[in-house]
Amino acid sequence: QVQVVESGGGLVQAGGSLRLSCAASPSVYSFNVMGWYRQPPGKPRETVATITSGGTTNYANSVKGRFSISRDNAKNTVYLQMNSLKPEDTAVYYCHGIGAQLQIDYWGQGTQVTVSS
């Protein structure tokens, strides 16, 4: 079964760090592109960062220099390292993948990140 499952959210003070993990099944090679999106309270979902199967990354301007996306092919996991967190980073974070075979979207269930001031 093709799916992505997030973990690692929580509560952190401003200036702190968190790392989110996204486990890809059956493997990261099941997806052409994987990424992280977030939905702040009362706002639409937005792109945070993406990474291709070749390792090319892209970031939203709001997180450049603070967040880093990476993938560990051996562990079938994509990570989002979040540093220098700000209260405006508070959101539900979703892992996303575009299936390599059927080119359809796969979404995780979401994980809450709350940054206190």
Side-chain angles (χ1 to χ4, degrees), residues 28-76:
V28 291
Y29 297 108
S30 303
F31 306 92
N32 288 331
V33 182
M34 295 189 70
W36 290 94
Y37 293 71
R38 67 186 182 186
Q39 187 165 15
K43 296 183 179 181
R45 194 174 297 188
E46 60 186 17
T47 307
V48 176
T50 60
I51 185 167
T52 68
S53 56
T56 301
T57 59
N58 278 289
Y59 296 92
N61 288 334
S62 59
V63 306
K64 280 182 181 177
R66 300 189 297 121
F67 291 12
S68 178
I69 189 171
S70 62
R71 55 190 282 165
D72 185 331
N73 295 335
K75 294 184 178 180
N76 292 312

Side-chain angles (χ1 to χ4, degrees), residues 51-111:
I51 185 167
T52 68
S53 56
T56 301
T57 59
N58 278 289
Y59 296 92
N61 288 334
S62 59
V63 306
K64 280 182 181 177
R66 300 189 297 121
F67 291 12
S68 178
I69 189 171
S70 62
R71 55 190 282 165
D72 185 331
N73 295 335
K75 294 184 178 180
N76 292 312
T77 301
V78 172
Y79 301 100
L80 184 68
Q81 178 67 43
M82 305 185 293
N83 299 326
S84 302
L85 282 160
K86 304 175 181 180
E88 51 263 44
D89 294 318
T90 294
V92 178
Y93 284 71
Y94 297 90
C95 182
H96 170 262
I98 299 175
Q101 192 167 24
L102 298 178
Q103 299 296 299
I104 62 175
D105 294 311
Y106 295 89
W107 291 95
Q109 79 284 358
T111 185

